[in-house]
Amino acid sequence: MREAESFKEQGNAYYAKKDYNEAYNYYTKAIDMCPKNASYYGNRAATLMMLGRFREALGDAQQSVRLDDSFVRGHLREGKCHLSLGNAMAACRCFQKALEVDHRNTQAQQEFKNATAVLEYEKIAEMDFEKRDYRKVVFCMDRALEFAPACHRFKILKAECLALLGRYPEAQSVASDILRMDSTNADALYVRGLCLYYEDCIEKAVQFFVQALRMAPDHEKACLACRNAKALKAKKEDGNKAFKDGNYKLAYELYTEALGIDPNNIKTNAKLYCNRGTVNAKLRKLDDAIEDCTNAVKLDDTYIKAYLRRAQCYMDTEQYEEAVRDYEKVYQTEKTKEHKQLLKNAQLELKKSKRKDYYKILGVDKNASEDEIKKAYRKRALMHHPDRHSGASAEVQKEEEKKFKEVGEAFTILSDPKKKTRYDSGQDLDEEGMNMGDFDANNIFKAFFGGPGGFSFEASGPGNFFFQFG
């Protein structure tokens, strides 16, 4: 016993110096010399706790109270180990036992409160997980881990919720830390796979899920995630093949089925929405394509391909302001020459859309020939000439006069190759020195029809008119 006490004293000296490894060695020697001494086990338990080896420390603390049921520090250390490992219920029992021996022990009172708090955090986290309030679960687990730093269960739950919140690097870090200590931890393998799955690395994710199931064949979450991952991968690949084969209807159906597999997989679903948007664009269902691309960027606001696809659909439906907004977003993210040109084109079309559409006024296509433009002018000019509507109300006369003037403007621009080129390219016509408010539509009309003098519309029957030159 004297030799054992000597080893204990040396262990105490090293413990005071924070040389816990040497302290452990000397306490072990003391135990070997005198294995029935509760305080030696208690001291070694304290040392193991300082080394973060709580499971081994728990064994020593339990042995110390088996040898001496009135050993208060033994009960405290056993409770502290249970709490550190996340077993708050067992910790409460240990602290209560310490209080039975010494009801005034302030440390036991405080530790009992800590253990009770951890139990409450667990309860709240369980309810919040069911409600899918993952942020609150992370908060509760962070608070619980302050008292239970070695609890893998709390860390795994936190990591799983981080993954479900899209905070993949943080989730991976937690899972990887656990796997470094225990490479066979099925829960950590599952979370690691979950992060890869949600980052659209489905093939690698499946490998982790399979590995988790090897360690724990009844792991329900890993089983479900593995099944979803395989189904999602297969449907997406089948959809891609149908698209490449030009079978757009089948591709649409397959992408739709894939979207129904797992609503939590944000990145993969964003790609599926964009793919389906591309299919809708091919089918000329442009509004549906825009909606799909919008859903894609709601899920992943960094998804450049979805912005580009939506912008093109906006261009095709002449929604130029929306197209400019999307191309600006793309160019801010990736400043390439191609994206800059797309933005410039959209800005030009937007600028052109704000002017009068002379093609629309004449009712001709933008590729109309010179003859088609002349025929269209003839028809529209006669339709809206003020003389034709001389018997109408003042309001109708004013509207028809306005239209007649616009038809003249349109013909003046589109019948002149130089002006037409400038108009088509989006350049300002005022730079040509032409003020569209100064010309006389009647002069253009007379010049076009080649009349030597005036002309008039005369009735040839109810609702019918013809015109003649004077």
Side-chain angles (χ1 to χ4, degrees), residues 329-372:
K329 171 81 173 175
V330 170
Y331 185 63
Q332 285 167 8
T333 308
E334 293 182 1
K335 287 183 165 56
T336 66
K337 286 183 180 178
E338 181 186 357
H339 294 159
K340 186 177 183 180
Q341 189 57 50
L342 287 169
L343 175 58
K344 285 180 73 175
N345 291 345
Q347 288 170 333
L348 176 60
E349 291 301 323
L350 174 60
K351 180 181 175 183
K352 287 162 67 174
S353 71
K354 291 182 181 295
R355 309 170 309 173
K356 288 181 182 177
D357 187 341
Y358 291 136
Y359 290 103
K360 190 174 182 180
I361 289 169
L362 287 184
V364 295
D365 186 78
K366 291 181 180 180
N367 297 314
S369 66
E370 189 177 339
D371 283 344
E372 287 171 330

Side-chain angles (χ1 to χ4, degrees), residues 153-192:
R153 184 165 51 87
F154 292 170
K155 289 179 181 179
I156 288 295
L157 180 56
K158 175 185 173 180
E160 184 179 0
C161 289
L162 287 170
L164 291 167
L165 289 168
R167 293 159 64 179
Y168 308 120
E170 295 171 76
Q172 286 176 13
S173 177
V174 175
S176 296
D177 285 345
I178 293 172
L179 289 170
R180 273 193 289 273
M181 292 181 279
D182 178 10
S183 62
T184 64
N185 189 303
D187 291 324
L189 289 167
Y190 159 70
V191 170
R192 187 75 183 85

Side-chain angles (χ1 to χ4, degrees), residues 19-166:
D19 188 346
Y20 302 118
N21 286 312
E22 278 303 308
Y24 172 83
N25 291 334
Y26 279 96
Y27 291 139
T28 301
K29 288 178 182 180
I31 289 169
D32 290 341
M33 296 300 295
C34 191
K36 300 294 184 182
N37 190 304
S39 68
Y40 296 169
Y41 285 101
N43 287 1
R44 191 168 73 172
T47 303
L48 287 166
M49 289 168 70
M50 296 306 294
L51 290 168
R53 293 156 62 179
F54 293 101
R55 208 161 289 283
E56 295 171 70
L58 178 61
D60 275 352
Q62 287 172 329
Q63 180 62 14
S64 75
V65 295
R66 275 195 291 267
L67 292 169
D68 181 1
D69 193 47
S70 65
F71 186 27
V72 174
R73 280 187 293 177
H75 288 299
L76 286 172
R77 285 166 186 159
E78 182 187 357
K80 191 72 174 171
C81 288
H82 277 307
L83 186 56
S84 295
L85 292 165
N87 191 345
M89 188 67 75
C92 283
R93 288 195 293 269
C94 293
F95 298 136
Q96 283 174 326
K97 185 68 179 177
L99 287 168
E100 285 173 16
V101 178
D102 178 8
H103 69 278
R104 292 182 178 178
N105 191 296
T106 55
Q107 185 183 353
Q109 291 169 357
Q110 183 57 52
E111 293 293 0
F112 182 78
K113 287 181 182 177
N114 294 344
T116 304
V118 170
L119 285 173
E120 187 63 21
Y121 285 131
E122 282 190 81
K123 183 180 176 182
I124 295 169
E126 186 179 347
M127 290 189 295
D128 288 330
F129 190 88
E130 289 297 319
K131 295 176 188 173
R132 297 178 180 267
D133 190 350
Y134 303 124
R135 292 183 192 281
K136 199 167 179 184
V137 177
V138 170
F139 172 82
C140 287
M141 289 301 95
D142 278 337
R143 299 291 79 75
L145 283 164
E146 290 174 6
F147 303 111
C151 181
H152 285 180
R153 184 165 51 87
F154 292 170
K155 289 179 181 179
I156 288 295
L157 180 56
K158 175 185 173 180
E160 184 179 0
C161 289
L162 287 170
L164 291 167
L165 289 168

